Amino acid sequence: MQQQNPLYADEITEQLAKQFAIRSGGRGADGCPIITFPEYPDFTDIPEEELQTVVTYLTSIPSLQDGDIGFILLIDRRQDKWFSVKASLLRITGSFPGNLQLILVLRPSGIFQRAIFDIGLKLNRDDFKLKVPIIMLNSVTELHSYIDKTQLTQELGGTLEYSHSQWFCHRTGIESFAVTVKETAQMLQTFGTELAETELPNDVTTTLGLLTMHTEKRNSMKDDINNARSHGSSLLARIQEPLIINPEHKFNTDELDNQTTVDRLLIQLNETEVAFDEFWNKHQLKLKQCLQLRHFEHDFREVKTALDIVTERHSTFTDMGSSCSHVGHIVRDLYKLEEKSQEALEKAEALAARGDQLIEDNHYAVDSILPKCIDLRAVCDNLVNGIKAKKELLNQSMELHKRLEQAMHWCDSGIYLLASQPVDK
């Protein structure tokens, strides 16, 4: 069977405004909700579809206490005629959409109409093929023996306060808020699915753009949640207004249901928000970590390139020289290279430290970050140690050349000294 779409009060405003059937909030002794059909001279002129729509709506209003215990119909026809009463009974009971527990009829009050009513009822009893009792009442006094006065409106001699405009305002407010809460939950679920299926970008620009876009959507949805919460809180305040005006005011069952329903919807909205916030925090952390990773990878490529250039330049240096002046020239160039390499080395060390911090912060890409940190430190150590070793070798080479030059100087001096000595004849 195809499920019908739910009815909403704001869709049948005109029909409900006629008040040929109302749900005032009264209950029978066993808790059955009462649907009242007040005196309505033009009842027979109401289209069948309109009657069915209103009655279906009134029976479909959810209650936290009613369950399937059924309804009590209270039909006021004191100013009507027998034939109209019969037609009304047949129309109302013929296709009533809910469970019926009892039907109370305030029959015509005129002596003549009452006599006709009694005769007509006896002759036409078979027309009412119902499994529930139909009780005919002569007065509201008799009615009070079946329904407590506190559960009846003033028109029926009771003390129950009922304002149709207020009832309609509360019903439309609750239904609108319920739809808002449902749509908000669906919207958050859809957005959550979108986030969960998002593939992490491979570059800084795209990652930053994605983080910005998702954050803006999230902020917009948080605004929607706050607006919905404000709507619900305002609605709850309107429902509780009688208590503010008069702390001794007693809510009827429907009013209590209204208050409980809005409270429950607010709790549901808050729980939905909490669940979404938890999911968002994880997603945001993942995107932020992705952005950190892309920045780290970008900087790694730049620093690694700079280190490779310095390393390549270092590899061209010889650790020997052909003379002191040559060694001195190499040493000066090597010191210049060492000075220029400091910036790359400092950037590499800072980047490695940044990587250590990411690892310490439980970054999801530890397996990618850790090898790069090790690589950076290895390249730096090799470069620093290589320059240091080359300087030591060049210093040794310088010392060697100095000694060689000193020896050469001594040899030259010796040769000169020998050459200047007179030759023996």
Side-chain angles (χ1 to χ4, degrees), residues 311 314 345 374-390:
T311 302
H314 169 257
L345 290 170
I374 294 173
D375 186 22
L376 285 173
R377 290 196 169 99
V379 173
C380 289
D381 289 344
N382 290 337
L383 181 59
V384 171
N385 292 333
I387 292 176
K388 180 180 179 182
K390 194 153 289 187

Side-chain angles (χ1 to χ4, degrees), residues 26-212:
R27 293 291 193 278
D30 55 359
C32 293
I34 300 171
I35 294 180
T36 304
F37 290 83
E39 292 180 328
Y40 194 83
D42 298 327
F43 187 82
T44 55
D45 297 332
I46 298 172
E48 186 64 28
E49 181 179 356
E50 184 174 326
L51 173 63
Q52 285 299 312
T53 298
V54 171
V55 173
T56 298
Y57 175 75
L58 294 178
T59 56
S60 68
I61 295 175
S63 173
L64 304 178
Q65 302 177 21
D66 297 344
D68 295 325
I69 61 176
F71 294 86
I72 295 175
L73 298 188
L74 176 51
I75 305 173
D76 184 2
R77 290 297 180 265
R78 286 173 290 177
Q79 304 300 322
D80 218 332
K81 298 179 181 180
W82 155 244
F83 296 106
S84 297
V85 174
K86 176 187 175 183
S88 297
L89 276 171
L90 289 174
R91 291 188 68 191
I92 294 169
T93 61
S95 55
F96 188 79
N99 296 326
L100 281 174
Q101 291 296 323
L102 179 63
I103 300 175
L104 299 172
V105 180
L106 278 169
R107 59 185 179 177
S109 56
I111 296 177
F112 178 70
Q113 287 299 326
R114 183 172 296 180
I116 296 177
F117 183 91
D118 292 338
I119 296 172
L121 182 62
K122 292 177 182 178
L123 295 176
N124 296 273
R125 187 173 294 276
D126 291 341
D127 291 342
F128 306 102
K129 297 177 181 180
L130 296 172
K131 296 181 181 180
V132 296
I134 301 178
I135 299 177
M136 303 298 171
L137 305 170
N138 293 320
S139 65
V140 293
T141 303
E142 289 186 17
L143 174 62
H144 297 162
S145 63
Y146 291 92
I147 305 295
D148 191 270
K149 286 184 178 182
T150 59
Q151 303 301 313
L152 296 170
T153 60
Q154 295 177 1
E155 290 78 8
L156 297 172
T159 60
L160 180 65
E161 296 181 4
Y162 174 74
S163 166
H164 187 73
S165 60
Q166 184 184 69
W167 174 87
F168 181 79
C169 178
H170 290 173
R171 288 309 316 157
T172 53
I174 291 171
E175 290 165 2
S176 173
F177 184 46
V179 169
T180 298
V181 172
K182 180 180 178 180
E183 290 178 346
T184 300
Q186 292 173 339
M187 175 183 65
L188 293 178
Q189 183 178 10
T190 300
F191 184 49
T193 301
E194 177 187 339
L195 298 183
E197 295 176 350
T198 299
E199 294 185 3
L200 297 178
N202 293 319
D203 61 274
V204 171
T205 303
T206 307
T207 304
L208 184 58
L210 187 64
L211 178 60
T212 301

